[in-house]
Structure formats: structure tokens, C-alpha cells
Amino acid sequence: MKQITAIIKPFKLDDVRDALNTEGIQGLTVQEVRGAGRQKGHTELYRGAEYSVDFLPKVQIMLVVPDKDLERIIDVICRTAYTGSIGDGKIFISEISQAVRIRTGEKNDEAL
């Protein structure tokens, strides 16, 4: 099993979630996060004062998939989150050694 952690632009969340549902992926965790990267940030005006916004709002999606589905799900996220602009995001993959569904005691792929 693999854990996919994707950091994307907030306005792409609904599109990515819908695409994952279409692919049969229903379980995921979403967090609102802030980050800095090549996008760098920008300056804003608030009550006449200019200030720098160094950490931009992003959304972090975490899901665990069977090994056989990994490349397909990465492709779905990449296609759906893509805008062509700097700051589209990143995807990180981690190995998961075990998963357990608390309610039923199912393990590993069955627990997903």
C-alpha cells in the first residue's frame, strides 16, 4: 500500500475529489495548509498598509491506495489539479506497512 500526499491549489479541491470518486477512491483526508515554494508569495494592501504574504494557502490531500492503483491515481490528481501556473502543487508517495479498519478489524487492502 502507498500513501499519497498531494498539495494543491484550494480551488482545485472539488475537481480532484470528484475525479477520485469517479476512479472509485472514496476515502481521503483534507487539510487546509499554507506553504512557500517557487511561487514565493506576494504583497497585499490592508487598510492602507502594504504587507508581504510569504505562505500561500494550499490544500493537502492524503489517501492510501493499493500498490496496483498508485500510478493511475497519481495521473488523475496531476491531470485534475493542473492549471499550468506556478504553484500547482506537489505529490509525495510513502510506503504504508499496515492498515486496520477499526470497526471491522479488516486489514491492509481490505481496510481501504
Side-chain angles (χ1 to χ4, degrees), residues 3-70:
Q3 176 177 304
I4 301 172
T5 302
I7 300 170
I8 63 172
K9 292 182 175 183
F11 67 88
K12 295 301 266 177
L13 176 60
D14 288 337
D15 294 340
V16 170
R17 185 191 62 211
D18 291 344
L20 289 171
N21 281 338
T22 299
E23 293 294 321
I25 303 297
Q26 298 172 350
L28 56 92
T29 301
V30 176
Q31 289 182 316
E32 293 180 5
V33 297
R34 295 166 45 98
R38 290 185 182 160
Q39 199 172 2
K40 299 288 187 226
H42 60 279
T43 57
E44 290 187 3
L45 213 61
Y46 180 72
R47 294 187 177 182
E50 190 174 278
Y51 66 98
S52 177
V53 177
D54 295 324
F55 293 99
L56 298 174
K58 301 288 180 179
V59 172
Q60 180 174 301
I61 302 169
M62 193 277 296
L63 59 150
V64 177
V65 299
D67 290 339
K68 65 180 177 58
D69 295 336
L70 179 65

Side-chain angles (χ1 to χ4, degrees), residues 50-112:
E50 190 174 278
Y51 66 98
S52 177
V53 177
D54 295 324
F55 293 99
L56 298 174
K58 301 288 180 179
V59 172
Q60 180 174 301
I61 302 169
M62 193 277 296
L63 59 150
V64 177
V65 299
D67 290 339
K68 65 180 177 58
D69 295 336
L70 179 65
E71 292 304 321
R72 178 174 56 93
I73 299 306
I74 290 172
D75 182 59
V76 166
I77 295 170
C78 285
R79 280 187 289 112
T80 311
Y82 178 82
T83 68
S85 300
I86 193 167
D88 272 353
K90 288 202 170 56
I91 297 174
F92 303 99
I93 310 302
S94 303
E95 184 72 33
I96 298 295
S97 61
Q98 187 175 17
V100 178
R101 185 185 310 264
I102 294 172
R103 181 178 56 87
T104 63
E106 293 169 297
K107 295 188 177 183
N108 301 321
D109 286 356
E110 292 78 31
L112 301 179

